[in-house]
Amino acid sequence: MLHIVNKSPLERPSLDTVLQAGADGAILLIEDGVYAATRGNAVEDRLKKAMGTLKVYALGPDLDARGVADRLTEGVTVVGYDGFVDLVAEYKTNQSWL
Amino acid sequence: MAAIELNGKTYETDEEGYLVNLADWDEDVAAVLAEQENVQMSNNHWEVVNFLREYYNEFQIAPAVRVLTKAIGKKLGPEKGNSQYLYELFPYGPAKQACKIAGLPKPTGCI
Amino acid sequence: MTTKKFMIVNRKAPYGTVYALESLEVVLIGAAFEQDVSLAFMDDGVYQLKKGHQTKGIGMKAFEKTYGALEDYDVTKLYVDQESMAARGLTPEDLCVPVEMMPRADLGKLMEDQDVVLSF
């Protein structure tokens, strides 16, 4: 399934909960959630480890707005709003970790 | 919502007469806004209005009077960077009136 | 008018919530009344100063540029929390304005020293 995370990993435990739940499928990082996909963030290693079983996407306009598009963690795929819609359509269910 | 109709164009304004869309601004609508404020635009007035637009462009805010005075003094010289000069040009408050004519939002901290 | 020591403590990332923008408004208002204002950036608040905000895609005003006007408002005391920067892989060179980076314990002492602390 698709997990949508919109909170910064250092502000809320949402992303860690997703990772600990051993989810497979995909994580889409949006809004403040995109900070998880930046190099040097404290969750970088945990996110990389999860990439074995999970695809990780981050929303481009949210990366741009925060000035962090140039420090994207390797292995993360950037999508636009159209890609967001495609992902929601692709997975049977999705969970927004609001 | 109020509006100014001019040369076949509509310029939306808020309840206090400030332009709603910064990008709508041109010198023609500035002249109308000045008229509404009973300000006779001279080169000195335009200098301040253009300064404010440049300031907004750079910092995304309309400066408070004290800051405006100081910044104008730095750029245009001390004889213009004082509140007496600016209040002579814009008697009802340089920040408030000049910002309105410049098509900017009401300055932050303006009461 | 009595001058008080104000510290504004910023702990939220920009754009995801309205706190950062509201805080900046308060700073500008406080400084317009000639108060002694300093800013502290901790936790995700350090992200407010990250260089290069391009907000066209999310349709919000990029207020990064406004931090550059703080000097005109005589707000020159900007402190960032060293531990928060490290946890986010940031250095002062990544930020849009000059700051003083200090250990969290020192920042805590500085907070103790204020007349008024405003939290965002």
Side-chain angles (χ1 to χ4, degrees), chain B residues 3-44:
Chain B
I4 296 170
E5 303 283 342
L6 188 65
N7 307 330
K9 257 178 90 179
T10 306
Y11 302 83
E12 265 183 74
T13 57
D14 67 10
E15 67 276 9
E16 292 181 89
Y18 288 81
L19 282 191
V20 172
N21 302 308
L22 197 68
D24 281 355
W25 187 89
D26 54 37
E27 293 196 357
D28 294 336
V29 77
V32 174
L33 290 163
E35 215 171 286
Q36 289 176 355
E37 292 289 319
N38 288 319
V39 171
Q40 290 274 5
M41 293 296 283
S42 67
N43 284 343
N44 287 341

Side-chain angles (χ1 to χ4, degrees), chain A residues 6-87:
Chain A
N6 76 334
K7 296 295 189 294
S8 161
L10 302 179
E11 160 111 28
R12 300 274 188 95
S14 316
L15 181 67
D16 274 325
T17 305
V18 177
L19 299 178
Q20 284 160 10
D24 59 10
I27 297 180
L28 171 61
L29 301 166
I30 64 168
E31 299 168 15
D32 289 344
V34 300
Y35 287 121
T38 58
R39 282 194 305 273
N41 189 291
V43 296
E44 184 180 2
D45 288 343
R46 271 173 276 159
L47 190 69
K48 274 187 171 161
K49 222 173 274 168
M51 283 181 192
T53 51
L54 272 166
K55 285 184 189 154
V56 180
Y57 299 90
L59 194 62
D62 283 328
L63 289 164
D64 292 336
R66 290 160 181 77
V68 293
D70 60 344
R71 49 203 302 136
L72 194 72
T73 302
E74 210 182 314
V76 176
T77 308
V78 178
V79 294
Y81 290 113
D82 50 347
F84 187 156
V85 175
D86 291 343
L87 280 170

Side-chain angles (χ1 to χ4, degrees), chain C residues 5-11 19 22-28 30 37-42 77 79 114 116-120:
Chain C
K5 285 172 75 113
F6 280 75
M7 178 177 267
I8 313 231
V9 182
N10 300 288
R11 296 185 47 253
Y19 287 96
E22 292 290 326
S23 163
L24 197 49
E25 296 252 323
V26 167
V27 171
L28 297 177
V37 176
S38 60
L39 311 187
F41 296 86
M42 309 179 78
K77 287 174 278 190
Y79 306 108
Q114 304 294 318
V116 182
V117 176
L118 298 173
S119 329
F120 289 90

